[in-house]
Amino acid sequence: MNGFKAVIKPTPVLRGDIQALSSKNYTTRYLLIGALADGTSTIYYPAHSEDSDAMRRCIRDLGATLTEDETKLVINGFGAHPGKVKELDVGNAGAVLRFLMSIAALCPEEVTFVNRYPESLGKRPHHDLIDSLRQMGVEVADRDGRLPITIGGGKPKGGHITVSGNVSSQFLSSLLFMTPLLEEDSEITVLHDLKSKVIVGQTLEVLEQAGIRVEAAEDYMHFRIPGRQRYLPKDYIVQGDYPGSAAILAAAAVTSSDVTVRRLAEKSRQGERAVVDVLKAMGVPLTHTNDSVHVTGNGKLRGGEFDGDHFTDGVLAMVAASVFAEGTTRFYNVENLRYKECDRITDFVHELNKAGANVEERQSEIIVHGKPEGVKGGVEINAHYDHRVIMALSVVGLRSEQGLIINDAHHVAKSYPGFFRHMLDLGAHIELI
Ligand SMILES: O=C(O)C1=C[C@@H](OP(=O)(O)O)[C@@H](O)[C@H](O)C1
Ligand SMILES: C=C(OP(=O)(O)O)C(=O)O
């Protein structure tokens, strides 16, 4: 996508009705399990974004065939036998990289994951998964746990595997996708804490939909996976995306608003569903019925204390809302935000304070001293290659005295290419230049 800046101007009122974008995290999962099945699967309403396109591109390169029309994607999988490919380009998509690192171990020849975003994904650590793959007999060449990474030479073996859950849940999900295809049965023990635990539930949900059997301990710290299983080709429907919609809901919460976001399933396993409860706890008038969230914001919010690990991809949007709350809001247990597209604590807090907010960081916390009177703005924001920073600062800009200019705002397309279109549809004063 061509680069652009987003000029966010003060916007007191938002009004309208939008359909949530399709879930990024379900789309990457359904594409993957469709590729791992022998036969034809259909995915209805898949997401279209840089990350989901990265998964499309990589599974094609590995031998799946994909045909797509406006509503659905039909995929013919390569089953347990991905083909030969020298290089894979995952763009800036962490989950796509991590999920495919295990699948690459099943390829007949070595595969190199290239480093296209040295300033973002190129800085993120993958040691924990590399360690697990090595335990399984897979050869991995890496640069201190970072891209470029070459996988291959050595067929993976099941058995007893450990994986750290301290930095990312994606390493565990990756192993859960691959181990059912091995000859041997596997047992996975998660070491340390498991961060973003809720999203592992999404992995288990889609595995079950594809007919894969996994025995999971209730706390997700221990798993038994029988080997010699096959993914069944199936039809899947992608639900609406809570992490992206969290930014729209935050925008509605900080303005005078009458905004409805449709297609947000009340019974969803997306952890970020919790943002609806967070906003409610902050006193935002809203209802959630018939899979629609309806916000009638009056701009008033009150601070609170939230365990952000339950809604990891929604934290930045909730921080943006709390910038305008009465009192202090504390988001704790969020250290792993440091290992995302940028350091979502230090880098994000820096940009917020530049905009005139009053936010403090701790190693694993973000503490916001609310300014119900609004922030000054009038500065240029560095997007740090991070779609969620761009969306969160857009929310802050709406209630700034002098607006905000967000540089490199095109990176919003990593997950939500239609974000600014939706904001404009709701009446936000935004110019893209
Ligand atoms: O499994 C997934 O699809 C994801 C897991 C989460 O990452 P971590 O487990 O690294 O927190 C989340 O932030 C990311 O957007 C998608
Ligand atoms: C962290 C994210 O994605 P990923 O880890 O897949 O790059 C995100 O979408 O906020």
Side-chain angles (χ1 to χ4, degrees), residues 4 6-11 14 247-248 250-251 254-255 316 320 324 348 352 355 381 387-400 403-406 409 412 419-420 423 428-430 432:
F4 62 82
V7 182
I8 316 288
K9 300 175 189 165
T11 302
L14 290 180
I248 302 283
V254 305
T255 49
L316 272 58
F324 306 106
F348 179 49
L352 286 168
I381 296 297
H387 52 143
R388 306 223 185 267
V389 169
I390 294 165
M391 293 188 264
L393 266 301
S394 299
V395 171
V396 173
L398 298 178
R399 204 155 142 180
S400 63
L404 287 176
I405 296 177
I406 304 182
V412 77
F419 173 70
F420 290 113
M423 290 285 280
H429 303 159
I430 295 177
L432 304 179

Side-chain angles (χ1 to χ4, degrees), residues 24-25 29 95 98-99 167-170 196 199 312-313 336 340:
K24 169 183 103 118
N25 299 336
R29 282 169 171 71
R98 274 98 173 243
F99 294 171
V167 165
S168 171
S169 70
Q170 294 171 357
S196 300
I199 204 167
T312 183
D313 288 345
N336 95 330
K340 309 267 183 178

Side-chain angles (χ1 to χ4, degrees), residues 1-67:
M1 183 180 274
N2 291 333
F4 62 82
K5 294 176 194 252
V7 182
I8 316 288
K9 300 175 189 165
T11 302
V13 178
L14 290 180
R15 242 180 246 296
D17 199 316
I18 58 172
Q19 294 281 336
L21 72 160
S22 286
S23 161
K24 169 183 103 118
N25 299 336
Y26 276 105
T27 300
T28 47
R29 282 169 171 71
Y30 287 140
L31 285 166
L32 179 62
I33 65 175
L36 294 176
D38 298 291
T40 305
S41 300
T42 303
I43 305 170
Y44 291 89
Y45 316 115
H48 290 277
S49 57
E50 288 173 1
D51 281 14
S52 59
D53 288 349
M55 185 61 110
R56 284 178 178 81
R57 177 170 66 238
C58 291
I59 58 175
R60 257 196 193 116
D61 289 348
L62 288 164
T65 55
L66 278 62
T67 46

Side-chain angles (χ1 to χ4, degrees), residues 52-250:
S52 59
D53 288 349
M55 185 61 110
R56 284 178 178 81
R57 177 170 66 238
C58 291
I59 58 175
R60 257 196 193 116
D61 289 348
L62 288 164
T65 55
L66 278 62
T67 46
E68 194 155 4
D69 64 22
E70 295 234 312
T71 52
K72 63 181 189 306
L73 184 154
V74 177
I75 172 168
N76 238 298
F78 47 73
H81 304 288
K84 278 187 205 168
V85 58
K86 274 204 160 53
E87 286 188 351
L88 287 174
D89 171 8
V90 299
N92 198 19
V96 176
L97 168 65
R98 274 98 173 243
F99 294 171
L100 291 179
M101 279 169 64
S102 295
I103 303 309
L106 303 172
C107 288
E109 286 179 9
E110 55 173 48
V111 182
T112 298
F113 290 92
V114 298
N115 189 4
R116 278 229 296 117
Y117 283 83
E119 295 305 319
S120 187
L121 186 54
K123 287 185 173 169
R124 295 171 71 180
H126 317 290
H127 301 92
D128 296 332
L129 179 57
I130 292 171
D131 283 353
S132 306
L133 291 172
R134 286 189 177 137
Q135 289 169 35
M136 303 174 78
V138 176
E139 279 174 30
V140 184
D142 62 308
R143 297 219 177 136
D144 190 24
R146 289 168 176 81
L147 288 175
I149 294 173
T150 301
I151 308 250
K155 216 172 157 286
K157 276 201 178 50
H160 194 220
I161 308 154
T162 57
V163 63
S164 173
N166 246 353
V167 165
S168 171
S169 70
Q170 294 171 357
F171 306 137
L172 168 63
S173 285
S174 177
L175 296 170
L176 289 169
F177 285 121
M178 181 258 262
T179 47
L181 296 171
L182 301 179
E183 277 303 305
E184 307 77 21
D185 298 345
S186 301
E187 226 181 290
I188 302 176
T189 303
V190 181
L191 303 178
H192 318 121
D193 199 6
L194 176 58
K195 296 301 179 192
S196 300
K197 189 178 278 203
V198 212
I199 204 167
V200 175
Q202 283 176 246
T203 300
L204 295 175
E205 179 187 8
V206 307
L207 286 171
E208 193 183 334
Q209 286 177 286
I212 296 288
R213 280 171 295 122
V214 173
E215 248 180 73
E218 216 170 304
D219 61 0
Y220 291 175
M221 297 301 275
H222 193 248
F223 299 83
R224 268 183 233 277
I225 308 105
R228 296 169 302 283
Q229 299 192 62
R230 288 295 171 262
Y231 283 81
L232 300 175
K234 285 277 179 71
D235 289 356
Y236 303 108
I237 300 174
V238 179
Q239 52 182 266
D241 188 89
Y242 274 99
S245 300
I248 302 283
L249 298 175

